[in-house]
Amino acid sequence: MTQTSGANRRRVLAAALGLPLAGAIGRAFAQSQGWPDKPVRIVLGYPPGGAADGTARPLEPKMQAMLGQPLLFDYKPGAGATIAADFTAKAPADGYTLHFIDSGPMTILPNGKKLGYDPFASFTPIGMACDGGTLLVAHPSVKASTVQELIAEAKARPGSLSYGTSGIGGAGHLAAELFQSMTGTQMTHVPYKGGSQAVADLVGGQVPLLFSSMATAIPHVKTGKIKAIAVTSTARASALPEVPTVAEQGLAGFEASVWFALVGPAKLPAEIVAKANAALNAALAEPAVQEAIRKQGYEPAPGSAEAFAARIRADHEKWGKVIRDAKISFA
């Protein structure tokens, strides 16, 4: 056998061995180039009518127009939205199962309990939709009306002030723990099974303070049944522009935001990520969509998949420290 014929044989063998991999890559590329050619399922971890639904639904018309296929909303509530996250993590990476997810199951709960998915390895970030803070509200009987007055009252009576949240490990709970850590105060946590019952008890005077979702608390603030002390985001909320942030009131650097975003299963092809991100950002550019999101107490937050991935890691690290320092258990 000549040297030339031996080289040819090796090239043929290498090509033959590479055919299965090349074929798989080719099929994936062809599939992503034609994506979507059928309806796309959008998984949500909460029931209809909540904040997830209220911020996802306004995106639907424009995204459908951009993608040329219907979006089918699939609600899988339970376990702090981790049931839905686990479902998405195990779905095929073909772009036909995406997840409109919030920061809880991505950056908070993975720090405190063993889950069936990894917030980094199990998903492909596509893009953020919106973010916003929780609302620190009080019953009218509470003397404090500002953050500084609340800090003074809490320090004067350590442990005597109680605050409600929608549950252990939720956004309100983590915001409250960060607040206490940064102010050196000690308050008593009263966790509820949901935000609606927590607000009802605040209105009724059963609990004096509440770290609440914006959408749940705003109607009662508007009627004067409860008073808003601060928002926990870095900027004021469009829905309550008169209410200052915690940071504005002397606690520099304080920020506790909740976000909603679009993710897919791990190893989603880059072409699908690009198309889905473009459709999401186009929807967020619509004035009607922006208005609908702001009514829910959030702000539109368009951007790249890369920027969203960095946000996941930063928030995961931030809330992990808060959880460890406060010794929070989700068991």
Side-chain angles (χ1 to χ4, degrees), residues 91-112:
D94 57 9
Y96 293 100
T97 298
L98 304 180
H99 190 160
F100 193 75
I101 200 166
D102 69 295
S103 48
M106 293 291 282
T107 67
I108 295 175
L109 295 177
N111 278 296

Side-chain angles (χ1 to χ4, degrees), residues 69-157:
Q69 291 291 338
L71 302 183
L72 306 179
F73 286 75
D74 187 1
Y75 301 92
K76 297 184 180 298
T82 60
I83 292 173
D86 189 58
F87 175 86
T88 302
K90 292 176 171 60
D94 57 9
Y96 293 100
T97 298
L98 304 180
H99 190 160
F100 193 75
I101 200 166
D102 69 295
S103 48
M106 293 291 282
T107 67
I108 295 175
L109 295 177
N111 278 296
K113 65 190 304 185
K114 185 175 178 58
L115 300 169
Y117 62 86
D118 181 279
F120 308 116
S122 301
F123 302 99
T124 302
I126 294 172
M128 280 184 60
C130 59
D131 69 358
T134 55
L135 191 62
L136 172 54
V137 287
H139 187 266
S141 63
V142 174
K143 293 180 180 180
S145 296
T146 68
V147 165
Q148 292 302 323
E149 289 173 354
L150 179 60
I151 292 171
E153 187 170 345
K155 285 186 174 181
R157 298 185 291 132

